């Protein structure tokens, strides 16, 4: 790169009298630095060597705190940051978003070859790079509300300025950036998996063609390619035969593990879905990992000493106590048109033998059509009908209601299902009151847990092992054990049990993670949320710069033409 040429690539003048910043073509670097910061304060966008300065307010505060002195005069500091920025792909971040190319070019450039203006420019670049990278590592690059409209969780929101000041003072720039990453072991395992998977980038990855399903004992010309693909992904031993066209026992032992890692039925049959998973390119897998890493950065530093974690896309619940998993369970989540929201809260109480008051939307959209089709529907499921609400409501004989005349605009009833084996909530529900009316609960439809993709609910989360979860949540209360829970269930009476200490619950959405055995897992993007997030992660704010055409010419050129007014 020719810095001399790039430095002057955006000649621009500004309107006379808009800002009171004196022209200064040469002079001490710190004077040049002050000029650029004054331009930022005046609302002008500053570009350095073609790259926009983006951490505008934080950068101003940093230099104000240090009396507008240069921060990056020492080559060792610049080298440390430039090298740390080059390592950001490990975390799914692009060095180009943090002036990576310019930092490498300027880090070791001899001071004698630079003008005062360029020394000031260099300082701004390095400060901007650190502030941006640190903010994105600590709190995420993408605003989660742009992907999850219902997002309510507040992340870490780290104040970067004092961190940069300390890092410059004690020479810990690289370590400071590293320490800003989430410290959760799941995040660090994903970072390692990404780095390991990156070895496949650039390797030939030709699509395996469609064809008849391949079963154990079959021969097929596609099998050598499938074998090599499984070896590359380390699902098949590197010592395995890579040329055989026979589906032998070696392959039969490896393929179900590959299928399970991708959320497929581990039946050992190579059909359309298995081929799709085999054809998933390394870069696509890495982008899934990048989306999951970003979602981890949105979360607080600590999820709690004891907490429940639900992965919607993984159809999985786990409970963690003091850093160790004490329970895991399959779950059923919301259908694509009734998605389970992403949020965090605290489980505050449990209800055994619950009743179910059907939400109005479900009464109209789900229950009413069933009642109209089947006159015995309500009696068969033990659902009672009430007219009105609250203390004034009265029980109504379902046979006296003309259901065919009802609609969403005329439905003056409540439907309430009593406790029992047919209750839609099962025998226990776990409550954390929230604006989405979402909670965890048991279910009588237990056969659905055998499905690989489990999007069957109306937004709430059905738990396969609800009584194990209840036992774990009540473990700190000496008055409760599994026998007492069973005795309470046997009474059939609706009973509320308040937890002495509410337990945090985090309902999240990851399509890539590393499991307890160290296996990298992938799942389908059931709610189509990865695509927008990946696009935002790949998008660079530095590519957005659009230089306006000047509408008038000032006799004074500011900072050698690198300042233009922000629109």
């Amino acid at each position: 790169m020719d810095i001399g040429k790039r430095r002057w690539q955006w000649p621009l003048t500004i309107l006379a009298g808009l800002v009171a910043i004196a022209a200064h073509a040469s002079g001490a670097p710190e004077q040049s630095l002050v000029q650029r910061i004054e331009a930022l304060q005046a609302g002008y966008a500053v570009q350095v060597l073609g790259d926009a300065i983006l951490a505008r307010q934080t950068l101003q505060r940093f230099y104000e705190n240090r009396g507008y002195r240069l921060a990056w005069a020492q080559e060792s500091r610049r080298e440390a940051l430039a090298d740390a920025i080059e390592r950001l792909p490990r975390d799914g971040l692009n060095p180009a978003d943090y002036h990576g190319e310019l930092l490498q070019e300027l880090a070791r450039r001899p001071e004698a070859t630079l003008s005062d203006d360029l020394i000031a420019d260099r300082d701004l670049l390095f400060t901007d790079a650190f502030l941006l990278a640190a903010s994105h590592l600590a709190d995420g690059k993408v605003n989660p509300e742009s992907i999850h409209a219902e997002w309510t969780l507040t992340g870490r929101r780290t104040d970067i300025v004092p961190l940069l000041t300390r890092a410059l003072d004690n020479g810990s720039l690289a370590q400071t950036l590293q320490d800003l990453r989430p410290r959760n072991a799941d995040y660090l395992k994903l970072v390692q998996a990404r780095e390991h998977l990156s070895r496949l980038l650039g390797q030939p990855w030709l699509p395996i063609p469609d064809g008849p399903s391949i079963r154990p004992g079959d021969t097929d010309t596609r099998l050598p390619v499938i074998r090599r693909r499984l070896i590359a992904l380390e699902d098949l031993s590197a010592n395995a035969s890579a040329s055989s066209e026979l589906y032998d026992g070696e392959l039969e032992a490896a393929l179900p593990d590959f299928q399970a890692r991708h959320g497929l039925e581990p039946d050992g049959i190579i059909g359309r879905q298995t081929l799709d998973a085999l054809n998933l390119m390394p870069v696509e897998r890495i982008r899934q990992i990048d989306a999951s890493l970003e979602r981890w950065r949105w979360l607080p530093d600590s999820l709690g000493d004891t907490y429940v974690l639900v992965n919607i896309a993984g159809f999985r619940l786990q409970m963690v106590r003091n850093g160790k998993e004490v329970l895991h369970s399959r779950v059923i989540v919301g259908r694509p048109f009734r998605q389970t929201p992403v949020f965090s809260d605290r489980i505050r109480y449990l209800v055994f033998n619950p009743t179910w008051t059907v939400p109005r939307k479900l009464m109209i959209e789900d229950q009413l059509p069933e009642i109209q089709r089947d006159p015995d529907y309500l009696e068969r499921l033990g659902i009672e009908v009430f007219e009105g609400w609250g203390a004034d409501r009265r029980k109504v004989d379902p046979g006296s209601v003309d259901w065919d005349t009802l609609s969403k605009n005329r439905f003056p009833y409540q439907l309430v299902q009593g406790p029992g084996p047919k209750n839609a909530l099962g025998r226990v529900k776990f409550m954390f009151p929230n604006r989405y009316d979402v909670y965890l609960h048991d279910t009588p439809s237990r056969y659905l847990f055998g499905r690989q993709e489990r999007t069957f609910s109306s937004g709430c989360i059905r738990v396969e092992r609800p009584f194990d979860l209840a036992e774990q949540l009540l473990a700190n209360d000496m008055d409760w054990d599994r026998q007492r829970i069973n005795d309470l269930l046997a009474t059939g009476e609706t009973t509320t049990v308040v937890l002495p200490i509410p337990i945090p619950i985090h309902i999240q959405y990851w399509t890539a993670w590393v499991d307890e055995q160290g296996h990298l897992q992938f799942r389908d993007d059931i709610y189509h949320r990865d695509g927008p997030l990946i696009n935002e992660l790949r998008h660079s704010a530095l590519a957005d710069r659009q230089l306006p055409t000047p509408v008038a010419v000032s006799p004074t050129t500011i900072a050698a033409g690198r300042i233009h007014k922000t629109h």
Side-chain angles (χ1 to χ4, degrees):
M1 183 203 322
D2 188 336
I3 286 183
K5 291 181 179 178
R6 183 167 179 176
R7 183 184 177 199
W8 305 102
Q9 78 181 79
W10 304 115
L12 181 67
T13 57
I14 61 176
L15 295 175
L18 282 179
V19 289
I21 304 174
H24 189 87
S26 62
E30 289 180 350
Q31 290 178 299
S32 297
L33 179 66
V34 169
Q35 280 191 330
R36 286 142 177 78
I37 296 172
E38 286 177 338
L40 289 172
Q41 292 171 339
Y44 286 80
V46 174
Q47 288 185 349
V48 172
L49 304 173
D51 274 11
I53 297 300
L54 299 177
R56 299 168 56 85
Q57 294 181 347
T58 314
L59 182 143
Q60 293 173 44
R61 185 157 56 90
F62 167 75
Y63 280 108
E64 181 181 358
N65 288 353
R66 63 183 287 111
Y68 301 97
R69 292 178 291 108
L70 296 173
W72 301 93
Q74 294 181 21
E75 183 177 330
S76 60
R77 291 177 176 177
R78 300 194 300 270
E79 287 180 346
L81 180 60
D83 292 345
I85 296 297
E86 284 300 299
R87 292 192 292 270
L88 285 179
R90 297 181 307 169
D91 294 271
L93 299 174
N94 186 355
D97 292 338
Y98 314 99
H99 316 294
E101 184 183 357
L102 280 173
L103 299 190
Q104 289 294 328
E105 180 72 18
L106 290 169
R108 300 163 183 84
R109 189 77 176 262
E111 204 87 348
T113 66
L114 303 179
S115 67
D116 291 341
D117 279 348
L118 195 50
I119 291 173
D121 288 342
R122 180 185 67 186
D123 221 74
L124 285 178
L125 272 179
F126 275 83
T127 299
D128 195 54
F130 182 95
L131 295 175
L132 288 173
S135 174
H136 293 174
L137 284 170
D139 303 313
K141 175 184 176 182
V142 179
N143 180 354
E145 293 179 8
S146 67
I147 308 300
H148 304 282
E150 76 284 356
W151 185 270
T152 58
L153 183 66
T154 300
R156 292 181 281 175
R157 301 199 178 188
T158 309
D159 187 356
I160 305 298
V161 168
L163 291 180
L164 174 54
T165 300
R166 287 196 297 269
L168 288 167
D169 289 343
N170 59 30
S172 61
L173 290 159
Q175 188 62 49
T176 298
L177 286 179
Q178 183 171 326
D179 290 344
L180 285 170
R181 306 151 84 197
R183 298 176 186 178
N184 191 287
D186 292 304
Y187 179 90
L188 301 178
K189 287 191 288 188
L190 264 181
V191 168
Q192 293 171 356
R194 187 193 193 281
E195 194 167 8
H196 190 63
L197 192 59
S198 296
R199 79 194 192 285
L200 299 179
L201 293 174
Q203 291 191 21
W205 208 265
L206 298 176
I208 303 167
D210 289 336
S213 295
I214 309 173
R215 291 174 167 79
D218 290 351
T219 58
D220 195 291
T221 56
R222 294 172 291 173
L223 282 172
V225 182
I226 291 172
R227 287 175 176 276
R228 289 194 292 272
R229 188 66 47 85
L230 290 171
I231 291 171
L233 294 171
E234 298 185 353
D235 290 285
L236 189 61
S237 168
N239 298 322
S241 171
S243 58
S244 174
E245 296 184 359
L246 174 65
Y247 191 156
D248 58 12
E250 188 176 46
L251 190 57
E252 187 178 357
L255 195 66
D257 290 339
F258 171 84
Q259 291 172 319
R261 286 201 309 111
H262 291 78
L264 305 174
E265 187 69 40
D267 55 12
I269 299 172
I270 306 174
R272 172 66 62 84
Q273 288 184 313
T274 300
L275 284 176
D276 287 345
L278 286 165
N279 283 327
L280 193 66
M281 298 185 67
V283 67
E284 294 175 288
R285 297 173 189 273
I286 286 174
R287 286 173 183 167
Q288 273 189 266
I289 292 175
D290 290 349
S292 290
L293 290 172
E294 178 71 358
R295 288 187 171 105
W296 273 111
R297 290 191 286 263
W298 293 341
L299 293 174
D301 257 341
S302 174
L303 301 182
D305 294 330
T306 299
Y307 61 89
V308 174
L309 182 65
V310 176
N311 181 4
I312 298 169
F315 310 111
R316 182 173 183 267
L317 173 149
Q318 62 183 141
M319 183 168 174
V320 175
R321 181 177 287 114
N322 298 325
K324 294 183 178 180
E325 182 182 274
V326 295
L327 171 73
H328 68 271
S329 174
R330 291 184 288 190
V331 297
I332 292 167
V333 300
R335 286 167 278 183
F337 58 91
R338 287 185 184 157
Q339 298 180 10
T340 298
V342 171
F343 68 105
S344 291
D345 211 303
R346 290 178 178 268
I347 301 175
R348 301 179 187 279
Y349 62 94
L350 284 60
V351 181
F352 293 98
N353 299 315
T355 60
W356 181 44
T357 301
V358 185
R360 180 173 176 78
K361 181 177 181 180
L362 301 190
M363 282 195 293
I364 294 168
E365 295 182 3
D366 295 358
Q367 306 294 329
L368 181 58
E370 291 288 349
I371 298 168
Q372 291 170 337
R373 281 193 295 266
D374 180 3
D376 298 325
Y377 175 81
L378 294 174
E379 182 179 356
R380 191 172 65 254
L381 292 181
I383 298 177
E384 297 180 323
V385 181
F386 293 87
E387 187 173 20
W389 287 264
D392 297 330
R393 74 179 186 177
R394 64 183 186 87
K395 190 174 178 180
V396 174
D397 179 1
S400 67
V401 178
D402 187 353
W403 297 101
D404 290 331
T405 65
L406 301 182
S407 66
K408 67 177 181 179
N409 296 321
R410 182 176 177 271
F411 199 97
Y413 301 106
Q414 270 192 324
L415 303 180
V416 180
Q417 188 178 33
K422 296 179 182 179
N423 188 286
L425 305 183
R427 306 296 299 279
V428 62
K429 64 178 181 178
F430 307 85
M431 299 302 294
F432 37 101
N434 56 81
R435 63 189 176 111
Y436 314 109
D437 200 23
V438 164
Y439 45 88
L440 308 179
H441 63 85
D442 181 21
T443 176
S445 304
R446 310 207 56 83
Y447 69 95
L448 293 175
F449 289 110
R451 307 281 183 87
Q452 290 300 117
E453 186 169 298
R454 296 186 290 276
T455 52
F456 302 115
S457 85
S458 296
C460 287
I461 300 159
R462 307 176 194 171
V463 183
E464 184 181 28
R465 299 173 58 190
F467 306 119
D468 292 337
L469 178 59
E471 186 177 11
Q472 288 293 338
L473 290 171
L474 293 167
N476 290 331
D477 190 332
M478 299 298 294
D479 293 333
W480 284 95
D481 57 18
R482 189 57 171 265
Q483 185 58 51
R484 186 177 176 190
I485 290 173
N486 291 338
D487 291 344
L488 182 56
L489 292 170
T491 68
E493 297 179 0
T494 301
T495 305
T496 298
V497 178
V498 177
L499 295 179
I501 301 176
I503 303 296
I505 178 169
H506 307 281
I507 303 173
Q508 294 298 313
Y509 188 93
W510 290 291
T511 61
W513 73 93
V514 178
D515 65 20
E516 291 73 27
Q517 289 73 43
H519 300 143
L520 180 58
Q521 300 280 336
F522 292 100
R523 293 296 184 271
D524 285 344
D525 182 14
I526 54 173
Y527 293 163
H528 305 291
R529 291 176 172 177
D530 272 0
L533 176 53
I534 290 168
N535 288 339
E536 288 289 328
L537 285 171
R538 297 181 65 200
H539 174 80
S540 173
L542 294 175
D544 283 345
R545 57 180 180 267
Q546 294 181 355
L547 298 181
T549 301
V551 295
V553 178
S554 164
T556 302
T557 298
I558 306 289
R562 286 186 295 280
I563 303 173
H564 64 83
K565 197 172 190 297
T566 305
H567 290 285

